[in-house]
Amino acid sequence: MREIPISAAKRIATEYGYDQVIIYARRCHDSPEPHGEHMTTYGRNKDHCGAAAKIGNFLKRCMHWPEENITKSA
C-alpha cells in the first residue's frame, strides 16, 4: 500500500476538467495484505486547495480518523 501523490489528483483534475479532486482509498481488514486508509486532496489554486482540504478533513472526521491524521492548516 502506497500513499497517492498529489500529482495523481492533479492529473485527474486536468484530464477531466475539475477544480477540486478528493481521493479516498482503502484496503479492507479482510485483505491478507496490510490494511489502512489514505486521502489525497488537490485544488487548482489556493482557494480550491483550501476547499478540497476542508472536505477531506470533514470526511476524515466522519470516518473517525485519529485527530493527528487530520490536517491542521485546512
Side-chain angles (χ1 to χ4, degrees), residues 15-55:
E15 186 172 336
Y16 294 97
Y18 287 95
D19 296 326
Q20 301 164 16
V21 173
I22 297 101
I23 300 171
Y24 169 69
R26 182 172 188 239
R27 181 170 290 174
C28 298
H29 292 279
D30 60 352
S31 171
E33 304 294 326
H35 60 274
E37 299 172 299
H38 179 74
M39 182 132 4
T40 299
T41 63
Y42 168 80
R44 68 174 173 85
N45 61 31
K46 186 177 179 177
D47 290 336
H48 288 294
C49 282
K54 286 179 184 177
I55 293 165

